[in-house]
Amino acid sequence: MKRGILIVALLALVGVGNFAFGAGMIIVEDSSLWPGPVPPNPLPPSWPGPDGPAPRPHLFAPLEVDYVKVQTRIIDQVAVTSVDQEFFNPNSARLEGTFVFPIPKGAHLDKFAMEIDGKQVEAELLSAEKARRIYEDIVRKLRDPALLEYAGREMFKVRIFPIEPNSRKRITLSYTELLKSDGGLVGYILPLSTEKFSCKPVKSVSVKVELQTKRPLKSIYSPTHSVEIKRDGPNRATAGYEATDVLGEADFALYFAAEKDEVGVNLLTHRTGGEDGYFLLLASPGLESNHQQVLPKDVAFVLDTSGSMAGKKLEQATKALQFCVENLNENDRFELIRFSTEVEPLFGKLVEVSKPNRDRAEEFVRHLKPIGATAIDDALRTALELQPGRVQHPERGDRDPEAVHTAAPARRPFTIIFLTDGRPTIGLTDEDQIVANVKKDDDGRTRIFCFGIGTDVNTHLLDKITEETRGFSQYVLPEEDLEVKVSGFFSKVKDPVLANPELKFSGEVRVANLYPSPLPDFFKGEELVLVGRYSGQGDSAVVLGGTVYGGSRKFAYDVKFPAESTDNDFIPRLWATRRVGYLLDEIRLHGDNAELREEVTELARKYGIVTPYTAYLIVEDERRREVPMPMRSMPGLEEDRSARAEAANSWHQFTADRGGDAGVASALSGLALRSADAPAVATLGAESAFARRYGLVQNSSPPGGPVDALQPGQTRAVQYSQQTQFVAGKTFFQSGGQWLDSATQKTPDAERLRIRFGSPEYFELISQHPETLPWLALGQNVQFIWARKLYEVYE
């Protein structure tokens, strides 16, 4: 039995900017040993586990976290959070411990209550100085710095006894906090990092945040997680998140804003070091738009009925079209077009939404048969002829490429929803010419949304079509349900409220590299999340213009772009993730060049946007520049010939393959990044597209987990790309048993300060520069740049 201190996180609530945060833990003194053999000190990068190499364990975390359930109710700016979490003690010894709950500086917590196995307990409040001594004492005894991220805060504490062997301990707590508002935007954060203090993945994590405001809710946005947002009238909404078998969970953050104007606009900024700043702009019409604010629209549904659509694909497609027709608004107009070898419109024109027309459409869809080839060009041009305001020339034929459009500055939106599972096989089949025809026939106000069904599609063709028409493509994989995807999409876009939007900024501020670009149309209940760079400073007016119910409108909002803003440090990475996605699509669709590749590589390395595709670019770039080996980001991938060859082959396929498994994986990877709301989720999505392309089960190791040499090269390429962490504005790569700051390559001549882990100098660094705590918490061996100096912490 080894004596020591056992710490298991109950809840890690780590804050950013104006958010409230804290961390609850159980500290068990004189504990029994780690389940299995005790790891040595210093801890190695990996440790033998029951199923092969496992990530380096935290000696202080042998308990398992079974579940985490969080329910939060926010009324205006007052949040009441309830946490329910259960631990399992797999040890054979009874444990005695102390529960601690750190409180951040300046947080307004009230009504703190806690129960252990259903019995209410009272907690003692400790000063920040006493709390800091507790954490530092733990680091000294166990020589593991992971808890340093919680240092320097006041804490509640309470004794827990007994923690019985092979039994569960349920702890619940609740507290009230006053959330801060930044320019009308209120932030709430609930980090979910408990899994790093669990010796097994957390089986279940669920978060439910109920919002209620006096004024109608506009923007609701999470920069960290893919949340499901359900609105219940104009003043209420619920944001939910669920996951199972969780490892490496990120902090959960949620922003929301109540109504100030018809379209709610809020601005967040981040700017340091005298460089151009970053901004995030949220704009939402909310859910309270009345009937007269919803624009009547024209929709053409175009469905591929070629022979390859037989079976489940056509069955799901017909159900999806029936759903869309049933959910058209009463003032809309529509047309159905099926195509295979030939094109067959149902009505031959746009018709009003009425019961007879709906019944006729349902009958048409029900009798569709899969047969023939794929005439994509004819189908698209037939649909484009329906554009309102288009002057036809019957004497030249129905599909005259020289047909003109009458001036219709405020006409209703026209949308084409195009579904196909193949490539053009009859008629005009040249990709570039088909795109050119779309561009020629489109009046600039038509939106085409493409659904590629399966993997035998030309992704370049579909993506170029949507690129020209301000739409986007979605790809429905064989294991996915087409009906669910199309129905979900149509539910979001059925109520347009602002078409053809334009955005301008006044004053001495200049903005650049805005994403998404161009701006998409606004829909009821949806929101725009726009990121960009800015130069200059001071007051500015955001002018949002577009078509609103038959007329042109402009909305103006006063905002301020500061010269310095250290809050909201998630914005640069969000901007970089989207920019990498757009640049990768530019390479994929229009050809590779050195300038684009160099920018992708630099952004991916700096902001931790590492997928097997960008990992290959990073390795090749550092080999070309002859970066000294100790400073290289991914030496493991570079030295693993098989994995590097697979990564190189995947990059070649990314730039060359238009369809098939590789082509669809490339399209999905770019889509995940350029449409990112949460950078970590987007990077995982891009990585998942690569893994799915090879039929791989995604690696479940946390960041820095070992690479399994027995796995195929493709799997190892994925695992190498996971050996990175983005912490407090810096990207760290696992390199030679240490965490290496990517910024070291940019400052090769920086003064080097070597500090032994656990030495007096080490704790002096903690005391004098608490800003370094998140980086020091990474491990015993870490290098980072701070204040133009290179700090090397070593064991």
Side-chain angles (χ1 to χ4, degrees):
M1 304 288 262
K2 179 171 180 166
R3 296 175 63 86
I5 298 178
L6 168 66
I7 298 158
V8 181
L10 170 65
L11 179 66
L13 302 180
V14 184
V16 181
N18 290 325
F19 291 116
F21 53 94
M25 307 173 195
I26 300 174
I27 300 176
V28 182
E29 302 184 24
D30 300 327
S31 70
S32 65
L33 50 82
W34 171 273
V38 177
N41 269 324
L43 296 173
S46 63
W47 182 247
D51 302 313
R56 182 176 74 181
H58 292 293
L59 182 59
F60 53 73
L63 298 194
E64 300 172 14
V65 181
D66 281 346
Y67 66 78
V68 181
K69 299 177 183 178
V70 182
Q71 290 196 347
T72 301
R73 182 171 179 80
I74 301 175
I75 300 179
D76 293 319
Q77 290 178 236
V78 178
V80 179
T81 300
S82 299
V83 180
D84 181 357
Q85 188 165 11
E86 185 174 80
F87 299 92
F88 175 68
N89 177 15
N91 298 279
S92 58
R94 171 187 285 187
L95 305 175
E96 176 180 354
T98 302
F99 172 81
V100 297
F101 187 92
I103 302 171
K105 298 175 183 178
H108 298 279
L109 266 64
D110 192 15
K111 300 179 182 178
F112 183 88
M114 179 178 171
E115 291 184 355
I116 302 174
D117 290 336
K119 297 180 180 179
Q120 188 164 351
V121 296
E122 294 291 332
E124 176 188 0
L125 179 63
L126 295 182
S127 68
E129 179 61 26
K130 289 183 178 179
R132 183 183 63 81
R133 288 201 297 266
I134 290 176
Y135 291 120
E136 290 189 6
D137 187 52
I138 293 168
V139 173
R140 285 187 175 94
K141 289 182 178 180
L142 292 183
R143 305 188 64 75
D144 191 327
L147 295 170
L148 287 177
E149 62 182 283
Y150 308 119
R153 302 171 185 137
E154 295 179 340
M155 68 162 69
F156 285 105
K157 78 178 185 74
V158 65
R159 177 177 174 271
I160 298 179
F161 179 82
I163 305 173
E164 298 289 356
N166 301 305
S167 65
R168 287 172 167 77
K169 179 68 64 175
R170 181 187 178 196
I171 299 180
T172 61
L173 59 90
S174 65
Y175 56 91
T176 301
E177 57 184 318
L178 179 63
L179 305 178
K180 294 183 180 180
S181 174
D182 183 355
L185 200 62
V186 180
Y188 172 77
I189 195 163
L190 184 76
L192 298 172
S193 57
T194 58
E195 69 285 344
K196 67 186 177 185
F197 299 118
S198 176
C199 61
K200 289 186 178 180
V202 181
K203 296 176 183 177
S204 173
V205 176
S206 65
V207 178
K208 181 180 179 182
V209 181
E210 296 179 343
L211 298 170
Q212 180 179 342
T213 53
K214 291 175 182 157
R215 294 178 296 167
L217 277 165
K218 292 290 187 177
S219 298
I220 305 172
Y221 165 65
S222 172
T224 57
H225 289 72
S226 293
V227 296
E228 180 181 14
I229 296 174
K230 294 183 178 180
R231 293 179 181 261
D232 180 17
N235 300 78
R236 296 173 181 264
T238 300
Y241 167 76
E242 292 185 357
T244 57
D245 296 325
V246 176
L247 277 173
E249 187 62 89
D251 300 347
F252 176 90
L254 191 72
Y255 291 91
F256 64 94
E259 177 187 58
K260 289 191 296 185
D261 301 280
E262 287 184 67
V263 177
V265 170
N266 299 92
L267 183 76
L268 293 177
T269 60
H270 180 82
R271 190 175 192 178
T272 59
E275 299 180 350
D276 287 353
Y278 301 83
F279 72 90
L280 179 144
L281 184 143
L282 298 176
S284 172
L287 194 64
E288 76 283 2
S289 302
N290 59 43
H291 175 72
Q292 291 185 341
Q293 290 175 308
V294 174
L295 299 171
K297 63 184 179 296
D298 296 326
V299 186
F301 302 98
V302 185
L303 174 62
D304 181 351
T305 59
S306 60
S308 57
M309 285 287 290
K312 183 174 69 173
K313 287 191 283 189
L314 186 58
E315 178 184 341
Q316 291 179 354
T318 56
K319 289 181 179 178
L321 290 186
Q322 288 172 342
F323 173 89
C324 293
V325 171
E326 284 301 314
N327 283 273
L328 289 165
N329 298 325
E330 61 179 355
N331 292 323
D332 293 342
R333 298 184 300 184
F334 75 104
E335 167 68 300
L336 288 178
I337 300 171
R338 73 133 200 108
F339 73 97
S340 54
T341 304
E342 70 291 325
V343 179
E344 180 186 358
L346 170 58
F347 301 105
K349 61 180 181 179
L350 292 166
V351 299
E352 303 295 331
V353 174
S354 64
K355 188 177 187 309
N357 287 338
R358 276 185 167 135
D359 291 344
R360 188 175 169 187
E362 183 177 352
E363 183 74 10
F364 178 77
V365 169
R366 192 164 57 243
H367 288 89
L368 292 175
K369 303 295 182 184
I371 188 171
T374 310
I376 287 179
D377 181 67
D378 282 351
L380 285 170
R381 298 183 70 182
T382 300
L384 286 166
E385 287 170 5
L386 299 169
Q387 294 171 101
R390 181 183 173 90
V391 177
Q392 301 293 332
H393 297 276
E395 71 279 6
R396 302 183 190 175
D398 286 341
R399 289 185 282 280
D400 174 23
E402 296 183 5
V404 299
H405 301 83
T406 60
R411 71 157 172 81
R412 55 209 285 160
F414 179 52
T415 299
I416 297 173
I417 298 177
F418 187 81
L419 296 87
T420 182
D421 77 331
R423 315 176 193 215
T425 58
I426 195 169
L428 183 63
T429 59
D430 180 79
E431 171 189 312
D432 292 335
Q433 189 58 52
I434 293 173
V435 174
N437 286 344
V438 168
K439 187 175 181 179
K440 184 186 300 182
D441 287 354
D442 175 31
D443 68 355
R445 289 173 291 183
T446 295
R447 307 289 180 260
I448 301 180
F449 298 95
C450 294
F451 286 83
I453 306 167
T455 58
D456 190 27
V457 293
N458 186 330
T459 61
H460 284 210
L461 173 60
L462 300 185
D463 289 351
K464 286 179 180 178
I465 289 170
T466 57
E467 182 182 59
E468 290 291 343
T469 60
R470 293 171 73 165
F472 58 82
S473 301
Q474 294 194 49
Y475 295 93
V476 186
L477 299 172
E479 67 272 16
E480 295 181 315
D481 192 316
L482 172 64
E483 179 187 357
V484 171
K485 272 208 165 180
V486 175
S487 302
F489 159 79
F490 191 74
S491 296
K492 292 181 179 180
V493 302
K494 68 184 293 290
D495 295 322
V497 295
L498 181 68
N500 310 307
E502 295 180 349
L503 196 63
K504 295 182 179 180
F505 296 81
S506 70
E508 300 300 319
V509 175
R510 298 291 178 267
V511 299
N513 297 325
L514 308 182
Y515 301 106
S517 177
L519 293 181
D521 296 335
F522 283 43
F523 300 94
K524 182 178 177 180
E526 297 298 307
E527 66 186 342
L528 169 70
V529 180
L530 180 75
V531 290
R533 302 294 305 270
Y534 75 91
S535 59
Q537 65 186 71
D539 295 330
S540 177
V542 177
V543 181
L544 176 64
T547 303
V548 178
Y549 201 76
S552 297
R553 288 282 306 276
K554 290 185 178 180
F555 307 88
Y557 309 89
D558 293 329
V559 296
K560 186 179 182 66
F561 288 89
E564 186 82 8
S565 174
T566 58
D567 292 336
N568 312 310
D569 61 358
F570 70 89
I571 299 177
R573 193 185 188 201
L574 175 60
W575 173 86
T577 302
R578 289 192 181 181
R579 177 139 179 93
V580 166
Y582 275 85
L583 293 174
L584 286 175
D585 264 9
E586 189 69 19
I587 291 172
R588 181 174 65 90
L589 298 178
H590 304 292
D592 194 1
N593 68 62
E595 184 177 340
L596 294 180
R597 182 188 288 212
E598 183 178 341
E599 185 174 0
V600 167
T601 304
E602 180 59 29
L603 290 174
R605 180 168 40 229
K606 181 176 180 179
Y607 291 103
I609 310 165
V610 184
T611 71
Y613 302 116
T614 57
Y616 168 74
L617 296 182
I618 290 171
V619 167
E620 291 303 302
D621 170 70
E622 292 176 3
R623 291 182 67 187
R624 177 183 59 82
R625 293 190 293 115
E626 298 182 344
V627 174
M629 188 60 68
M631 289 186 176
R632 293 197 184 183
S633 305
M634 310 183 75
L637 176 58
E638 184 170 347
E639 295 168 357
D640 188 331
R641 293 185 179 180
S642 175
R644 190 177 75 247
E646 290 293 348
N649 181 57
S650 297
W651 175 252
H652 173 73
Q653 292 176 332
F654 180 90
T655 58
D657 285 16
R658 283 167 158 72
D661 290 341
V664 172
S666 301
L668 288 173
S669 179
L671 177 63
L673 296 176
R674 75 172 186 270
S675 60
D677 283 340
V681 175
T683 303
L684 183 62
E687 182 183 282
S688 297
F690 176 92
R692 190 186 298 111
R693 178 257 182 276
Y694 289 103
L696 305 176
V697 176
Q698 196 152 359
N699 185 30
S700 60
S701 296
V707 173
D708 189 344
L710 300 179
Q711 294 295 323
Q714 301 99 327
T715 300
R716 298 202 305 278
V718 174
Q719 293 174 341
Y720 283 119
S721 70
Q722 293 175 329
Q723 292 193 316
T724 178
Q725 293 196 67
F726 188 78
V727 179
K730 288 181 173 290
T731 295
F732 289 84
F733 290 90
Q734 182 74 281
S735 176
Q738 66 177 347
W739 286 107
L740 179 66
D741 180 2
S742 65
T744 57
Q745 291 186 21
K746 293 291 186 181
T747 53
D749 299 324
E751 179 186 355
R752 180 182 294 265
L753 299 177
R754 299 188 78 236
I755 300 175
R756 183 179 292 277
F757 173 80
S759 65
E761 292 79 11
Y762 179 83
F763 289 102
E764 183 180 356
L765 174 63
I766 291 174
S767 175
Q768 293 185 355
H769 299 289
E771 304 92 336
T772 65
L773 285 171
W775 309 322
L776 293 172
L778 286 170
Q780 300 165 326
N781 297 281
V782 59
Q783 291 189 36
F784 59 87
I785 297 292
W786 174 247
R788 301 181 181 180
K789 295 179 180 179
L790 172 60
Y791 289 86
E792 180 183 357
V793 177
Y794 66 96
E795 173 56 39

